[in-house]
């Protein structure tokens, strides 16, 4: 799976949109971009994933650039409960079935 | 919606003891994955099972073994425990091999 790069930390004001970037310049054609988050030692929580097209669900939106070398996770109205470490992963589900977690971005939502 | 269940949630053991962690996947999920997260570290993949067969292996020590049973639940057996085994152990499950993984709440193991 491709290596991903994320900022170490970010702050976001409560009620504002949180935009979390991720670089995955070596991603291959069959690898999806996955986002998980981990709230203080709880189990990683699946957020969203996508291959080429932008995706939206009840939690977030995922914007993937046309060349697929980077993506942005958008939490439209951040709340204090969104404070967590956000992980951007590449995963093909073929050959190797392990999720490789990098350092992630520590998002702090500020009141 | 039903989630992954892990038991026990907390476990304290002495060095050289054994421990068994259990994972009950989301209903109808046939694939189980185990991850270890040490203090201040990111989750690391240990092992996975699909349809009761080992499907992938990561950095799992030889002292650890795991299996998946006919009802798809899985157990991680850990022997000769060391202080460094103190960690959070997460189980995840997916509906199908290589599909989206959903994590349980974890078991916190403390080895004294």
């Amino acid at each position: 799976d491709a290596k991903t790069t994320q900022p170490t930390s970010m702050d976001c004001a409560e009620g504002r949109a949180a935009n979390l970037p991720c670089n995955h310049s070596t991603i291959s054609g069959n690898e999806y971009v996955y986002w998980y988050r981990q709230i203080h030692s709880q189990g990683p929580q699946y957020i969203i994933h996508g291959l080429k097209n932008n995706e939206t669900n009840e939690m977030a939106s995922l914007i993937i650039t046309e060349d697929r070398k980077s993506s942005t996770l958008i939490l439209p109205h951040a709340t204090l409960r969104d404070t967590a470490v956000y992980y951007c992963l590449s995963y093909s589900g073929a050959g190797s079935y392990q999720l490789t977690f990098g350092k992630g971005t520590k998002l702090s939502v500020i009141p | 919606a039903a989630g992954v269940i892990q038991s026990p949630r907390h476990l304290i053991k002495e060095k050289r003891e054994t421990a068994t962690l259990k994972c009950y996947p989301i209903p109808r999920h046939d694939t189980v994955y185990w991850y270890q997260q040490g203090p201040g570290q990111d989750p690391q993949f240990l092992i996975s099972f699909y349809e009761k067969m080992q499907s992938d292996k990561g950095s799992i020590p030889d002292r650890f073994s795991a299996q998946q049973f006919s009802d798809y639940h899985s157990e991680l057996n850990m022997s000769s425990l060391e202080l460094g085994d103190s960690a959070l152990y997460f189980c995840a499950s997916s509906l199908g091999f290589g599909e989206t993984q959903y994590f349980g709440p974890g078991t916190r193991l403390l080895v004294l």
Side-chain angles (χ1 to χ4, degrees):
Chain A
D1 297 326
K3 178 179 170 57
T4 61
T5 305
Q6 301 175 251
T8 302
S9 63
M10 292 181 62
D11 291 339
C12 178
E14 188 177 18
R16 304 296 294 268
N19 296 285
L20 291 90
C22 179
N23 288 321
H24 33 78
S25 57
T26 61
I27 196 168
S28 62
N30 67 338
E31 288 181 316
Y32 288 79
V33 178
Y34 270 77
W35 284 84
Y36 284 80
R37 72 181 182 183
Q38 187 172 29
I39 300 172
H40 188 56
S41 297
Q42 296 179 22
Q45 179 187 21
Y46 165 75
I47 301 173
I48 199 168
H49 74 283
L51 185 63
K52 295 180 182 178
N53 300 322
N54 299 336
E55 302 287 345
T56 295
N57 63 20
E58 64 279 4
M59 288 184 68
S61 294
L62 175 61
I63 309 298
I64 303 173
T65 59
E66 193 168 342
D67 62 8
R68 300 207 331 120
K69 292 185 176 182
S70 65
S71 61
T72 301
L73 178 73
I74 301 172
L75 307 178
H77 305 286
T79 71
L80 298 179
R81 288 180 295 180
D82 292 322
T83 293
V85 177
Y86 287 76
Y87 294 99
C88 169
L89 315 169
S90 65
Y91 182 60
S92 66
S96 174
Y97 306 99
Q98 53 184 283
L99 295 176
T100 302
F101 290 85
K103 291 302 176 187
T105 296
K106 168 65 175 176
L107 175 69
S108 298
V109 180
I110 311 299
Chain B
V4 175
I5 297 172
Q6 292 188 244
S7 67
R9 294 293 310 278
H10 302 272
L11 191 58
I12 300 175
K13 291 287 185 179
E14 300 276 342
K15 279 174 52 177
R16 292 180 288 278
E17 286 190 322
T18 62
T20 297
L21 310 185
K22 296 184 179 182
C23 169
Y24 298 87
I26 293 171
R28 297 192 303 118
H29 281 198
D30 53 11
T31 310
V32 170
Y33 313 78
W34 286 95
Y35 291 81
Q36 177 192 58
Q37 185 173 27
Q41 299 181 2
D42 304 301
Q44 298 290 319
F45 173 77
L46 293 178
I47 196 166
S48 63
F49 291 87
Y50 169 66
E51 285 289 348
K52 294 154 280 183
M53 298 287 290
Q54 180 182 308
S55 57
D56 200 2
K57 194 172 182 180
S59 51
I60 184 170
D62 292 340
R63 299 177 289 106
F64 294 7
S65 65
Q67 58 182 322
Q68 185 180 32
F69 295 86
S70 58
D71 63 352
Y72 297 113
H73 94 271
S74 177
E75 295 183 4
L76 178 65
N77 300 292
M78 311 160 70
S79 63
S80 302
L81 287 169
E82 302 174 356
L83 297 179
D85 295 329
S86 295
L88 280 163
Y89 290 83
F90 294 109
C91 171
S93 72
S94 66
L95 178 60
F97 203 30
E99 297 298 322
T100 299
Q101 297 180 30
Y102 296 89
F103 284 76
T107 294
R108 183 177 293 277
L109 172 66
L110 178 61
V111 181
L112 301 176

